[in-house]
């Protein structure tokens, strides 16, 4: 069965995008899924957050240019069943070079679809940069769905509306007509504040069942884990952030099972 390709994206930085990529992927791997993270952000935070060095020439840059294979860039992590294609600052050069190439929006899709069509992985998770540049557009063109982390703060809906418009444009342009929203993950939730509760209510009001019920809390341990090159699930197995990401993984898999279940036959 082909692996599903999920882009984790938000044009706004600091919303927990990479944190969600690392910890949801680790939680899914913990539950038996084989996951490959593609660090598609030149800042390479997913790479360092999983304890890997940022090494020149080891990113997806040369893969996008057709000078290397995706398989040659895959590295193991300390988490069983979780691997990564690391990033480094030179990937930023793709923003300049890729638009000059033929089928420039399809470069990532053409590079990763052969791997996705094998049975090596269950999920390919693309950690996008916090922008709407050529890298993010390539990720959304390649993906089956997009996971949107949204911080529980005042401008959340504004950023969300931008991403929804972009998804519609990609569908309507024919670049990826089947792109769908995997779900909305509310991050940095603080149950002590009215603002967090109001933002969640507003997002649910606009997008209903697309919003995951699991709320990712503000957590010092979640913030500390990347500096030790670990997911929070291995850094502190018993903190609130670990519990939240494990719950998010369970909810993610439950939705996956619902989607895969055959529809009830229509009774005449």
């Amino acid at each position: 069965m082909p692996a599903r390709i999920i882009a984790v994206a938000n044009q706004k930085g600091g919303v927990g995008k990479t944190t969600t990529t690392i910890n949801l992927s680790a939680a899914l791997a913990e539950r038996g899924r084989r996951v490959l993270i593609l660090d598609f952000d030149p800042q390479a935070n997913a790479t360092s957050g999983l304890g890997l060095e940022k090494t020149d020439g080891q990113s997806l840059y040369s893969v996008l240019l057709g000078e290397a294979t995706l398989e040659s860039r895959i590295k193991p992590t300390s988490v069983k069943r979780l691997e990564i294609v690391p990033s480094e600052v030179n990937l930023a050069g793709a923003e300049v070079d890729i638009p000059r190439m033929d089928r420039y929006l399809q470069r990532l899709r053409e590079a990763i679809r052969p791997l996705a069509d094998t049975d090596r992985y269950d999920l390919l998770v693309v950690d996008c940069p916090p922008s709407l540049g050529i890298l993010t557009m390539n990720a959304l063109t390649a993906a089956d769905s997009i996971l949107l982390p949204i911080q529980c703060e005042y401008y959340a809906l504004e950023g969300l509306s931008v991403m929804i418009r972009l998804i519609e444009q990609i569908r309507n342009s024919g670049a990826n007509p089947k792109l769908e929203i995997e779900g909305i993950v509310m991050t940095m939730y603080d149950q002590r504040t009215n603002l967090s509760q109001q933002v969640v209510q507003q997002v649910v009001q606009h997008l209903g069942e697309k919003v995951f019920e699991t709320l990712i809390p503000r957590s010092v341990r979640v913030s500390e884990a990347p500096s030790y090159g670990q997911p929070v699930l291995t850094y502190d197995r018993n903190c609130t952030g670990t519990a939240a990401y494990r719950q998010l993984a369970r909810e993610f898999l439950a939705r996956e099972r619902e989607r895969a279940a055959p529809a009830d036959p229509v009774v005449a």
Side-chain angles (χ1 to χ4, degrees), residues 67-209:
E67 298 171 355
T69 64
L70 180 62
E71 288 85 347
S72 70
R73 296 291 180 257
I74 297 172
K75 306 293 182 186
T77 74
S78 60
V79 179
K80 187 177 180 181
R81 290 182 293 273
L82 177 60
E83 296 181 317
I84 187 171
V85 175
S87 184
E88 38 91 14
V89 69
N90 288 345
L91 181 59
E95 294 282 358
V96 176
D97 293 336
I98 298 304
R100 301 171 180 169
M101 304 181 74
D102 293 336
R103 296 176 57 79
Y104 64 93
L105 284 181
Q106 283 78 31
R107 302 303 297 184
L108 181 63
R109 180 165 66 188
E110 291 172 356
I112 68 177
R113 273 295 169 188
L115 180 63
D117 288 340
T118 71
D119 61 358
R120 180 170 174 177
Y121 299 102
D122 300 303
L123 288 168
L124 306 183
V125 183
V126 185
D127 185 38
C128 299
S131 72
L132 300 180
I134 197 67
L135 292 175
T136 298
M137 295 297 288
N138 259 262
L140 298 187
T141 301
D144 297 307
S145 61
I146 176 172
L147 186 70
L148 288 162
I150 303 292
Q151 186 179 1
C152 294
E153 52 108 68
Y154 183 72
Y155 292 111
L157 282 176
E158 184 177 309
L160 182 57
S161 64
V162 171
M163 292 304 299
I164 290 173
R165 285 199 301 272
L166 178 62
I167 292 167
E168 290 173 350
Q169 289 172 1
I170 290 173
R171 284 177 185 153
N172 296 336
S173 70
N176 188 357
K178 295 183 179 179
L179 180 64
E180 61 180 30
I181 297 176
E182 182 74 26
I184 314 296
V185 179
M186 304 303 300
T187 65
M188 304 181 198
Y189 178 76
D190 188 341
Q191 63 181 357
R192 300 169 298 178
T193 68
N194 289 332
L195 178 60
S196 280
Q197 297 171 33
Q198 290 168 0
V199 170
V200 171
Q201 290 170 2
Q202 287 179 329
V203 174
V204 170
Q205 183 179 342
H206 282 78
L207 285 158
E209 294 181 356

Side-chain angles (χ1 to χ4, degrees), residues 33 248-260:
R33 294 297 189 271
L248 180 62
R250 286 192 288 270
E251 188 177 353
F252 179 96
L253 293 173
R255 289 187 177 199
E256 195 174 68
R257 287 191 294 271
E258 278 183 24
R259 188 167 45 240

Side-chain angles (χ1 to χ4, degrees), residues 203-236:
V203 174
V204 170
Q205 183 179 342
H206 282 78
L207 285 158
E209 294 181 356
K210 287 293 184 183
V211 184
F212 283 95
E213 292 181 11
T214 304
L215 304 174
I216 307 300
R218 285 191 178 276
S219 167
V220 172
R221 306 300 273 174
V222 170
S223 301
E224 288 175 348
S227 64
Y228 291 87
Q230 297 180 51
V232 72
L233 279 76
T234 58
Y235 177 66
D236 186 341

